[in-house]
Amino acid sequence: LTDSDEILVLEDGCIVERGNHASLVAQDGRYAALMAAAMTSADEEGLPLDDYRGRHARSGAVASVPSHE
């Protein structure tokens, strides 16, 4: 996710946040809360954060869309 061109955060099927990783973390909104929760869970599970992100991105919990400019 951190290398994605654009990340869309959806709630009830509507885009509520849009941007790259750095801009979404700076907004301190839903995406930032999700990343903080992922880091906490990964730490509690004793997993490196990259392993946690990859596993949950593949499960559909988190997804990113490449930019087609």
Side-chain angles (χ1 to χ4, degrees), residues 37-53:
M39 291 176 18
T40 299
S41 292
D43 187 47
E44 289 172 357
E45 293 180 34
L47 296 172
L49 185 54
D50 288 342
D51 289 349
Y52 184 86
R53 279 189 198 137

Side-chain angles (χ1 to χ4, degrees), residues 2-63:
T2 58
D3 293 331
S4 298
D5 295 322
E6 185 168 44
I7 301 165
L8 304 177
V9 181
L10 303 175
E11 184 174 304
D12 297 324
C14 297
I15 298 170
V16 293
E17 294 178 9
R18 179 183 217 148
N20 63 25
H21 173 78
S23 69
L24 290 171
V25 169
Q27 290 177 28
D28 199 27
R30 289 173 177 87
Y31 178 83
L34 177 65
M35 295 306 339
M39 291 176 18
T40 299
S41 292
D43 187 47
E44 289 172 357
E45 293 180 34
L47 296 172
L49 185 54
D50 288 342
D51 289 349
Y52 184 86
R53 279 189 198 137
R55 182 164 43 117
H56 287 275
R58 285 189 300 277
S59 73
V62 178

